[in-house]
Amino acid sequence: MKRISFVLPVYNEEQVIDDFYLAITKGVEKIIEDYHIEFIFINDGSSDKTEEKLTLLHKKDKRVSIINFSRNFGHQMAITAGIDFASGDAVIVMDSDLQDPPAVALELISKWEEGFDVVYGVRKTRKDSAFKQLTARLFYKLINMLSEVAIPQNAGDFRLMDKKVVAELRKFREQGRFMRGLVSLVGFRQTGVLFDRPNRYAGETKYPFKKMLKLSIDAVTSFSTVPLTLISRLGFIVSGLSFLGILYALLMKFFFPQVTVSGWTLLIIAIFFIGGVQMIMLGIVGTYIGKIYSEVKGRPLYIVSSIYSDSYDQDKTANKKAIRK
Ligand code: UDP
Ligand code: MG
């Protein structure tokens, strides 16, 4: 029988987790005759009752494994740990707030059986706030303009991956991770499945604006060096403009010496403008240098405090190695 691993990141989801478990187990009931199933919950340093609730689920259901992080490492690292740990022939990454419907997971599986290696969920409609929808749309436009690999629009991290894709993904150990981009980068046969994305079942979003911004910056700086190219282009434009300004200043001095004091305005504007542009440029360069710095340190991507799993075989060195990286 083929194995299917569900990778389920959770962060402070005490209000949702039990109902999510009920929904997902009910959702996969139709296929339990055909597949071995494991549910890997990655507890991303939750500070509420999530861990206790997960432990109870693990005690009652052998298919449930838990990876507890030592602190909050973020959604992308949680997914990474799940992918490192999963032993399935296919791995399905899913949010644990019921925004990725279990019924759609079954559709992903049937597409996989048709021969696709990556099947991602595409949001036909979504019920997030207007602000989130707008920023998401802008983000996908921007990343596709800048990135060399095409990243599917309106697809989150909800996706199924064949084990050969998973094996390739495990080789990517970079810090600033944008998993969707990495999956696109890996290639193989990819396709999407449309679905309506419901509201979060309960609780608050764990992706406040700050985290979204970090994810976007990681995405752009990991998949594109276009901002660096733009800097030098902008530099040329500004230098050109400054040249005109100098010309203007000289002409005024020679032909209208009586009004040159008024040139002060121009001077101030030029100083401020060029100062501002330089700051922006330094900022962009700095962002990339910061990235180099954090990659060069080669720190572990996440730290596991404990693992509860019946399927976790101590001798399965592949899993062990991946988890320790
Ligand atoms: N999540 C996580 N670590 C974080 C933030 C979120 O593991 O630091 C999990 C969260 O529990 C959920 C999924 O990632 O299962 C998506 O988060 P959320 O639903 O809050 O994001 P949104 O759907 O609002 O974009
Ligand atoms: Mg959500």
Side-chain angles (χ1 to χ4, degrees), residues 88-322:
D89 297 294
V91 174
I92 299 179
V93 176
M94 226 166 137
D95 283 0
S96 50
D97 59 357
L98 287 171
Q99 280 194 297
D100 299 334
V104 181
L106 300 189
E107 284 179 46
L108 301 185
I109 295 171
S110 58
K111 277 277 176 205
W112 171 57
E113 290 289 4
E114 281 173 27
F116 289 98
D117 302 307
V118 174
V119 193
Y120 45 86
V122 179
R123 298 156 184 183
K124 194 163 58 177
T125 59
R126 56 191 296 177
K127 292 218 173 67
D128 297 304
S129 69
F131 177 71
K132 185 143 186 170
Q133 298 203 21
L134 178 76
T135 47
R137 198 161 336 129
L138 286 178
F139 169 69
Y140 282 110
K141 278 247 160 64
L142 182 75
I143 188 74
N144 272 306
M145 227 163 64
L146 297 182
S147 156
E148 280 138 41
V149 285
I151 293 164
Q153 303 254 338
N154 294 321
D157 283 303
F158 183 27
R159 61 192 59 216
L160 176 148
M161 289 166 283
D162 186 82
K163 67 166 182 254
K164 63 186 177 214
V165 176
V166 169
E168 294 305 321
L169 265 187
R170 284 185 189 141
K171 295 180 193 162
F172 290 77
R173 306 313 291 178
E174 62 202 63
Q175 291 280 341
R177 299 174 82 74
F178 181 56
M179 294 305 289
R180 287 158 236 187
L182 294 180
V183 176
S184 296
L185 198 70
V186 167
F188 295 101
R189 291 193 64 198
Q190 311 211 355
T191 190
V193 163
L194 283 173
F195 75 107
D196 294 304
R197 193 164 204 244
N199 258 329
R200 167 175 264 281
Y201 179 76
E204 302 249 290
T205 176
K206 307 299 179 302
Y207 257 102
F209 185 66
K210 221 174 110 194
K211 273 189 180 171
M212 295 227 301
L213 199 64
K214 181 182 178 298
L215 185 69
S216 321
I217 292 172
D218 272 345
V220 171
T221 50
S222 308
F223 283 87
S224 168
T225 47
V226 174
L228 287 175
T229 329
L230 284 182
I231 287 184
S232 38
R233 248 184 251 169
L234 198 64
F236 279 117
I237 294 173
V238 172
S239 313
L241 286 177
S242 314
F243 182 71
L244 288 180
I246 293 168
L247 222 59
Y248 169 79
L250 288 176
L251 288 177
M252 290 302 272
K253 178 133 180 86
F254 287 126
F255 297 107
F256 306 98
Q258 68 278 19
V259 294
T260 40
V261 177
S262 71
W264 181 81
T265 322
L266 180 72
L267 197 67
I268 290 299
I269 291 175
I271 289 172
F272 279 142
F273 178 64
I274 294 176
V277 168
Q278 280 181 335
M279 285 297 210
I280 296 173
M281 292 179 170
L282 275 178
I284 296 178
V285 176
T287 310
Y288 279 94
I289 292 178
K291 253 187 123 67
I292 297 171
Y293 180 56
S294 72
E295 296 296 345
V296 153
K297 278 184 292 195
R299 289 187 178 157
L301 300 181
Y302 52 82
I303 295 165
V304 171
S305 66
S306 57
I307 294 178
Y308 298 92
S309 173
D310 290 342
S311 67
Y312 182 59
D313 181 350
Q314 289 296 327
D315 296 327
K316 257 196 203 152
T317 40
N319 273 349
K320 259 203 317 209
K321 242 189 252 163

Side-chain angles (χ1 to χ4, degrees), residues 44-45 69-78 300-304:
D44 187 9
F69 277 4
S70 61
R71 64 168 172 83
N72 181 248
F73 280 88
H75 183 215
Q76 302 291 305
M77 294 309 179
L301 300 181
Y302 52 82
I303 295 165
V304 171

